Amino acid sequence: MSTTTSESTVTGERADLLESLGGARHFLRLTARGLSDEQAATRSTVSELCVGGLIKHVTAVEHQWTRFIIEGTSAMPAGDDPAGYEEHAAGFRMEPGETLAGLLEEYEAVARRTDELVRTLPDLDAGHELPPAPWFQPGARWSARRVLQHIVAETAQHAGHADIVREAIDGAKSMG
């Protein structure tokens, strides 16, 4: 593998990860184009999801998982904390005072930090044990590579959700 850590030249697996992250992020941001704050907060389907809330959630997830890469298990919330569950649920909503522009700005800042981590992390094989939680196998470990793949998958999945929510708002689609 030929990888450099300069800002301009990243090759191999790291370039692939950056391209995958960039593509998934592009489609998520694309769903928000031209929306007002009110539209971005609109729950246009039977679910609780709104475009702004999905952007907010993906931002939080990406931030938390990149902290996990660096800090390990201590960066993750306890899997059995009721307050943590409510905080997680609130992460899908636009709260009073939040703006779409502000959410997109925070998302961009988190994305820049993640991209820099992909460029500079000494070893993508380095990993940590996952915290105890009902959704993780006991004793499971994830490498930095696995975490980054998870961020790509999470972003792509929620970009699809956002596309459905957006289409129900005004008929706009990210593709097609």
Side-chain angles (χ1 to χ4, degrees):
M1 176 173 94
S2 171
T3 303
T4 66
T5 58
S6 77
E7 288 264 343
S8 60
T9 307
V10 177
T11 60
E13 178 180 25
R14 292 172 194 255
D16 291 344
L17 285 167
L18 290 169
E19 185 177 344
S20 294
L21 284 165
R25 290 178 188 138
H26 166 77
F27 282 109
L28 179 59
R29 286 189 306 264
L30 187 61
T31 63
R33 73 195 180 286
L35 288 179
S36 67
D37 290 338
E38 182 181 346
Q39 289 172 312
T42 298
R43 293 176 24 220
S44 63
T45 67
V46 296
S47 81
E48 295 288 322
L49 302 178
C50 66
V51 172
L54 286 161
I55 291 167
K56 181 179 171 180
H57 169 73
V58 170
T59 301
V61 166
E62 185 168 327
H63 175 71
Q64 183 173 40
W65 278 110
T66 55
R67 282 188 55 224
F68 173 80
I69 290 171
I70 298 164
E71 301 169 28
T73 304
S74 65
M76 304 298 278
D80 58 355
D81 177 21
Y85 180 77
E86 176 49 38
E87 183 180 330
H88 176 76
F92 283 97
R93 297 187 295 265
M94 280 183 69
E95 300 293 340
E98 290 181 323
T99 65
L100 179 58
L103 294 173
L104 286 167
E105 185 177 306
E106 179 62 22
Y107 186 42
E108 189 59 37
V110 167
R112 280 193 307 272
R113 289 190 300 268
T114 301
D115 290 353
E116 184 60 20
L117 183 63
V118 171
R119 287 184 195 95
T120 62
L121 193 66
D123 184 3
L124 293 176
D125 288 325
H128 302 284
E129 188 170 315
L130 293 169
W135 44 87
F136 296 134
Q137 281 190 307
R141 290 181 63 83
W142 278 12
S143 68
R145 175 184 298 101
R146 175 65 184 91
V147 170
L148 293 165
Q149 291 170 337
H150 177 72
I151 293 169
V152 170
E154 178 93 4
T155 305
Q157 176 183 8
H158 289 311
H161 294 146
D163 195 45
I164 291 167
V165 171
R166 173 63 190 263
E167 187 174 358
I169 291 170
D170 62 5
K173 300 183 229 178
S174 296
M175 296 178 67

